[in-house]
Amino acid sequence: MARFANGKAPFLRISDAKNAGTGVIMRDFMIGLLPVILFAWYKNGIKVYMDGNITFFEMLYPLIFILLGGLISTLFEGLFFYITDKNVRTLKALGAKLKVSYAIIPGLLLAMVLPLYTPIWVLMFGAFMGTIVGKMLFGGFGNNIFNPALLGYVAVGFTMMGVISNAGGLFNASEVLIDSYGGATPLGVLARTKAIDYNILVAPYGTLWNFLFGTIPGALAETGSLAIIIAYIWLAFRKVIKWFTPLIYVATVFILSWLIGISSGEAGLWFPVYSVLSGGLLFGAVFMATEPVTTPRNPLGKVVFALFLGVLTVLFRYIGNLPEGVGTSIIVMNLFTLPIDRMTAVVRANGVKKTTLVTTIGFSGLLIILAIYAILKVQTIYTALIPFFPIIREVF
Amino acid sequence: MILRKAKGLHIDGRKQMSKESPLHEHLNPQFVYIPLLQQTSALKRTVEVGDDIKIGQVVALREGFGAMPIHASISGKVTAIKKVWHCSGKMVEAIEIANDNQQRMADSIMPEADVTHFTREELIEKMKQAGLSGLGGAGFPTYVKYQTKSSIDVVIINAVECEPYLTCDYMLLNEYPEKLLKGLHYFMRAASAKRGVVCFKSYNKHIRESLQPLLQKYEGIELREIKDIYPAGWEKYIVQQVTGKTYEGLPAEAGAIVDNSATAMVFADVVEKNIPLISRVITITGEGISKPRNYYVPLGTPVKELIELSGGYINGLVHEKAWYIAGGPMTGRAILIDDLIVSDTLGAVIVKPMPDEKMHPECLGCGKCADVCPVFLTPTEIRRAYESKDVDAIKNLNAQKCMACGLCSYICPSHIEITDFVGKAKDLLRKGA
Ligand code: SF4
Ligand code: SF4
């Protein structure tokens, strides 16, 4: 008689295979980030260097900045483990622990959505808020409610925007020289002028192709729409992210923006395309709205989550007067992840009955009508709502 | 609707290893142990220590729901009543019979001269008296299904065997193809059904080749290939494929009865020769077995003998670092002591070295488990409800629908025991409600 090991069914696991499991997911995620990082480096470093506007070291700076973000958040998390957990005081244990808690990711993403001339200490502050406050104090990887990178971003937006502008802000050395930009990003222009006019919104930055290729001003990595689309295809193909979440999010913004355009007498498709390609929408949709821990687990929940994100983003952009609605929307929706997940899981498990279907359609219809109505009344509603949005308004 | 389509999953079958050598008969173990347990019912023993036993003699009775007799699988003498390891993972009392190697048959076992006159009721009574139960793993008494009040259009034979590693149904079918059709034919008569369908996995072309020429002899029987996915052998899936209908409780609601192929083959012998359910085929396989293969054995045979016949464990197998699994790898159970006996629901024993330990993070929340669930549950939510002991939520989340297919744990990149959490939630629901 021999004694055998205990175990639980199933005795076959994908994660047991050498080339599977979370390690592979993270590797694929990093590969997905690569084109975006490379683009950010090209746009803010290499190209500016070739223009002859910066020195060689300054050319390397964007890359260094992003990697530094990853390094800093890893260090913070390592330090946190070292202090709080007696079992992980050796380098080896610490390394293993950091690997399975993906310490590097929040920092990397944070650096990518910050302006190029963010001082390093501001980056550190953001990474601290993201990793320590947003992640570790919630109980570490898997328990955090808010997307750590975004939380860091919001914290920086809250308090440090002036500091960042003083340090040089969004514009790289080539971009400040272009007069037509007038020192604003496309969405900033929209927020200021409230005019849906091709000549004001798009023309100063060239054509919409520039929006696609990413040669417009914006945060470090968020403008590279094409690079982000490539990343999206890769991540969806590798099943790292669910393919429909970003698609639904972007499509909702597209449709609502189009309606807004039509309502103000501008039916051209350029406006929804402009809305989708400017600001951090694509970046947020692909890398933040799909972040597994802080978004719903079940597919129906993801659909609902993405729909709400789209509506919220549009609301924030056109009513909340936030040039950048993406970050705020995602942070707000993170709060609702658990209830959405629970409700949609119940609906999914019990089958979609007619009544639930009707209420859902009715409910979302109401929401959209409300949104459109509000948007049509932009000026008045905006002033009416402003008292309720002081905090959010401050954020960006 | 895109969100509610059961996709199933292709899983590497690893069936080849036990298919290579032919079905091996091992008809005379020294002892057999007839467990006094069928499904979850304890059986009433009808023999005493010292009694003389013939093959096919009744030795125990199942009482209450699904009442039926249980028979001796060898001839000899009852030598003890003792506890043995059963594939349910518990030790149960069993009747130990010492083999006299004379194969004396009970008088009831004799060929029928004419099988054409049996009525539906007589056939159902035969199932009951033969102690016939589902050999696919659930062990449900077969006759109970045929006593249904609903009218049955189709009897479906499940030869899909979707669990990886298992080849017992295939090997038996391969050996006696015609027996399956006979069994199905009698099943159809027992259900007054005009249509019979044999379902098998698409890669088993061989089944089609051997059954097709025989079909003209049996009216109303057709063959049906099922996609190579897991869990294609799930009753609901098969019924849906064949009839296009879904149901909540029993397949009879959709006008169908589903039986495992091995059960049908036993039934052929029940009808024609009056041999009750006393033997089955079991797959002994896994990376930890020297020569994996299938055995045709009397019920109650110790698995240890079969493993010895298979050349024992591979050299260098570290027992503490290996699993001894009763049943298939997806739904089976780890048995701690390798002292199992063959019973009606045990289709396989798999010995498999454990994979190397890896460090896994917390649940990522990736949602792959919810994606893959054939009954559209969200295991992560059920786990959350279980951890906060929220019985209502568990109920709303429909945890009781989980069929324990194991896919959620299988797919989880983070190695979370998520199937187990759902199982625990179900237990809580049962206790709480
Ligand atoms: S339990 Fe596993 S499969 Fe399910 S969400 Fe968590 S990590 Fe993903
Ligand atoms: S074990 Fe249960 S919860 Fe998990 S996939 Fe299968 S049916 Fe769904």
Side-chain angles (χ1 to χ4, degrees):
Chain A
M1 262 198 273
R3 243 194 122 74
F4 278 82
N6 203 350
K8 292 193 172 95
F11 296 90
L12 295 176
R13 305 287 173 97
I14 282 183
S15 55
D16 285 333
K18 282 254 150 41
N19 53 355
T22 43
V24 177
I25 291 188
M26 282 305 142
R27 188 201 66 198
D28 286 345
F29 186 78
M30 293 298 198
I31 294 176
L33 280 180
L34 211 58
V36 186
I37 293 178
L38 288 181
F39 174 81
W41 183 29
Y42 167 76
K43 180 201 161 206
N44 296 303
I46 300 175
K47 187 155 162 290
V48 187
Y49 177 66
M50 290 191 315
D51 291 346
N53 291 328
I54 49 172
T55 63
F56 183 77
F57 171 75
E58 283 173 317
M59 180 206 67
L60 293 177
Y61 183 71
L63 195 62
I64 293 172
F65 183 77
I66 292 175
L67 297 181
L68 207 58
L71 184 69
I72 291 172
S73 69
T74 312
L75 286 180
F76 273 136
E77 197 159 328
L79 205 63
F80 186 89
F81 281 137
Y82 188 85
I83 293 170
T84 54
D85 194 341
K86 274 203 274 326
N87 299 325
V88 283
R89 296 246 162 111
T90 65
L91 217 53
K92 203 168 149 231
L94 212 56
K97 190 97 185 175
L98 290 174
K99 211 174 137 211
V100 294
S101 82
Y102 309 114
I104 188 174
I105 299 219
L108 275 184
L109 288 178
L110 174 66
M112 290 169 80
V113 292
L114 286 177
L116 173 63
Y117 288 115
T118 308
I120 301 293
W121 67 269
V122 174
L123 176 66
M124 285 175 79
F125 167 75
F128 177 84
M129 289 303 285
T131 295
I132 302 296
V133 179
K135 184 171 170 189
M136 302 321 289
L137 291 186
F138 275 100
F141 180 81
N143 299 312
N144 44 316
I145 291 177
F146 298 109
N147 186 321
L150 267 185
L151 203 75
Y153 174 58
V154 170
V156 169
F158 241 125
T159 51
M160 305 282 174
M161 259 323 172
V163 180
I164 294 176
S165 321
N166 290 341
L170 281 171
F171 298 89
N172 66 40
S174 287
E175 285 162 352
V176 280
L177 300 175
I178 301 176
D179 285 336
S180 63
Y181 287 0
T185 60
L187 278 177
V189 174
L190 177 69
R192 202 179 58 231
T193 61
K194 285 266 178 257
I196 301 179
D197 183 342
Y198 188 90
N199 291 323
I200 297 177
L201 293 180
V202 181
Y205 305 98
T207 62
L208 279 177
W209 289 110
N210 295 28
F211 284 69
L212 180 65
F213 293 125
T215 49
I216 51 169
L220 201 47
E222 68 178 19
T223 60
S225 299
L226 193 65
I228 296 169
I229 292 170
I230 292 170
Y232 162 71
I233 294 171
W234 162 257
L235 293 176
F237 171 73
R238 294 292 299 166
K239 302 211 167 111
V240 176
I241 63 174
K242 206 70 201 155
W243 61 273
F244 53 70
T245 319
L247 216 58
I248 292 175
Y249 184 9
V250 170
T252 314
V253 171
F254 183 91
I255 292 169
L256 288 179
S257 308
W258 198 23
L259 291 178
I260 291 170
I262 292 171
S263 74
S264 58
E266 177 55 71
L269 270 179
W270 69 266
F271 182 61
V273 172
Y274 154 91
S275 301
V276 165
L277 294 183
S278 48
L281 178 61
L282 289 186
F283 191 90
V286 172
F287 293 110
M288 310 269 196
T290 56
E291 202 270 336
V293 175
T294 55
T295 63
R297 276 85 171 123
N298 83 80
L300 187 60
K302 288 183 209 261
V303 170
V304 172
F305 187 80
L307 273 175
F308 271 94
L309 276 182
V311 173
L312 270 189
T313 302
V314 172
L315 279 177
F316 282 145
R317 274 192 184 173
Y318 301 108
I319 302 180
N321 209 20
L322 300 167
E324 184 51 81
V326 176
T328 325
S329 313
I330 297 177
I331 284 284
V332 169
M333 287 310 291
N334 280 167
L335 261 180
F336 293 99
T337 289
L338 290 183
I340 289 181
D341 214 8
R342 172 61 56 85
M343 278 188 269
T344 49
V346 169
V347 170
R348 209 171 91 96
N350 290 292
V352 184
K353 298 198 189 77
K354 262 217 190 87
T355 46
T356 34
L357 207 63
V358 169
T359 30
T360 331
I361 291 175
F363 185 64
S364 32
L366 198 73
L367 203 80
I368 290 169
I369 291 172
L370 206 73
I372 294 171
Y373 175 77
I375 290 158
L376 293 181
K377 297 267 169 188
V378 157
Q379 297 304 333
T380 47
I381 292 277
Y382 168 57
T383 30
L385 284 181
I386 273 305
F388 300 104
F389 281 115
I391 302 169
I392 306 173
R393 204 161 56 112
E394 282 299 304
V395 172
F396 289 91
Chain B
M1 192 171 167
I2 141 184
L3 300 172
R4 282 188 65 87
K5 210 172 90 218
K7 291 180 291 275
L9 211 65
H10 174 78
I11 297 181
D12 177 16
R14 304 174 214 220
K15 293 186 188 253
Q16 203 49 44
M17 58 178 125
S18 55
K19 268 186 191 170
E20 261 149 25
S21 60
L23 182 59
H24 184 83
E25 288 190 351
H26 177 60
L27 294 180
N28 277 306
Q30 287 226 302
F31 290 96
V32 298
Y33 301 85
I34 309 293
L36 292 170
L37 183 78
Q38 215 255 324
Q39 288 192 293
T40 49
S41 312
L43 304 179
K44 198 177 125 203
R45 177 164 54 87
T46 58
V47 292
E48 297 300 328
V49 176
D51 282 5
D52 183 58
I53 300 288
K54 289 181 178 157
I55 296 177
Q57 180 181 334
V58 174
V59 293
L61 294 175
R62 175 168 171 169
E63 292 174 321
F65 172 80
M68 60 185 189
I70 304 295
H71 307 81
S73 54
I74 57 170
S75 65
K77 210 184 214 73
V78 176
T79 43
I81 307 297
K82 66 181 192 194
K83 290 213 159 187
V84 294
W85 281 99
H86 182 257
C87 62
S88 62
K90 286 187 282 256
M91 282 198 104
V92 299
E93 292 226 308
I95 303 168
E96 180 185 82
I97 304 174
N99 198 345
D100 61 7
N101 287 319
Q102 288 168 8
Q103 279 136 42
R104 291 171 295 126
M105 303 271 182
D107 301 336
S108 60
I109 299 184
M110 50 168 185
E112 293 279 353
D114 177 19
V115 293
T116 53
H117 66 271
F118 288 123
T119 62
R120 178 173 181 178
E121 286 69 32
E122 281 169 336
L123 285 170
I124 294 176
E125 184 60 24
K126 269 180 176 285
M127 287 177 201
K128 180 172 180 179
Q129 291 314 325
L132 193 59
S133 61
L135 297 178
F140 192 82
T142 308
Y143 79 92
V144 177
K145 293 194 275 190
Y146 284 84
Q147 279 175 337
T148 175
K149 298 264 183 318
S150 327
S151 89
I152 299 298
D153 310 317
V154 55
V155 176
I156 302 170
I157 294 300
N158 184 351
V160 170
E161 207 165 43
C162 63
E163 280 252 19
Y165 286 93
L166 268 59
T167 52
C168 53
D169 290 351
Y170 172 79
M171 293 305 270
L172 186 63
L173 181 54
N174 199 27
E175 202 82 4
Y176 310 103
E178 185 152 14
K179 221 183 200 178
L180 174 77
L181 298 178
K182 280 187 184 160
L184 174 54
H185 172 75
Y186 298 130
F187 271 150
M188 284 158 67
R189 275 168 53 188
S192 314
K194 292 271 172 308
R195 188 172 167 220
V197 180
V198 181
C199 294
F200 55 96
K201 273 220 178 140
S202 49
Y203 58 77
N204 274 334
K205 301 277 178 242
H206 192 66
I207 294 186
R208 182 177 283 280
E209 280 160 28
S210 52
L211 290 183
Q212 195 81 50
L214 305 169
L215 280 186
Q216 67 259 43
K217 276 201 274 177
Y218 299 89
E219 207 184 318
I221 295 184
E222 56 196 88
L223 306 178
R224 177 69 179 256
E225 283 179 19
I226 300 281
K227 258 202 273 170
D228 181 19
I229 54 165
Y230 180 88
W234 176 38
E235 239 174 30
K236 277 195 177 142
Y237 182 82
I238 288 194
V239 171
Q240 213 267 331
Q241 292 286 306
V242 171
T243 67
K245 291 185 210 154
T246 51
Y247 59 90
E248 280 301 310
L250 292 172
E253 293 164 28
I257 291 181
V258 183
D259 270 305
N260 171 270
S261 60
T263 317
M265 293 164 88
V266 173
F267 190 52
D269 281 343
V270 171
V271 175
E272 291 178 353
K273 302 186 191 140
N274 286 307
I275 302 175
L277 172 60
I278 51 170
S279 53
R280 73 158 297 141
V281 176
I282 174 172
T283 308
I284 304 291
T285 187
E287 288 81 357
I289 298 283
S290 299
K291 284 184 249 134
R293 62 177 171 185
N294 284 276
Y295 294 91
Y296 187 78
V297 291
L299 293 181
T301 306
V303 172
K304 211 184 303 172
E305 282 178 32
L306 304 179
I307 290 179
E308 267 158 35
L309 285 172
S310 288
Y313 303 121
I314 51 160
N315 279 337
L317 182 82
V318 187
H319 299 145
E320 294 77 21
K321 289 225 165 296
W323 285 314
Y324 181 98
I325 306 160
M330 296 298 284
T331 60
R333 191 186 293 273
I335 302 289
L336 299 186
I337 307 279
D338 60 344
D339 199 19
L340 206 58
I341 50 118
V342 178
S343 54
D344 56 347
T345 52
L346 183 68
V349 167
I350 301 168
V351 178
K352 191 174 151 43
M354 285 165 72
D356 296 338
E357 289 231 6
K358 280 207 235 175
M359 189 134 158
H360 296 288
E362 275 295 300
C363 165
L364 292 177
C366 64
K368 285 186 200 289
C369 50
D371 251 357
V372 82
C373 176
V375 287
F376 313 110
L377 304 181
T378 305
T380 46
E381 277 305 298
I382 295 174
R383 173 185 178 183
R384 206 152 67 82
Y386 167 74
E387 279 170 352
S388 57
K389 303 275 176 259
D390 187 346
V391 178
D392 281 338
I394 296 175
K395 197 172 186 163
N396 288 336
L397 289 163
N398 244 347
Q400 68 278 7
K401 263 208 178 155
C402 165
M403 57 163 146
C405 68
L407 273 182
C408 43
S409 282
Y410 171 76
I411 195 113
C412 176
S414 217
H415 210 282
I416 308 287
E417 299 290 352
I418 193 77
T419 305
D420 195 52
F421 276 114
V422 179
K424 282 187 202 151
K426 275 200 291 186
D427 288 344
L428 189 71
L429 191 62
R430 219 171 295 133
K431 268 183 254 145

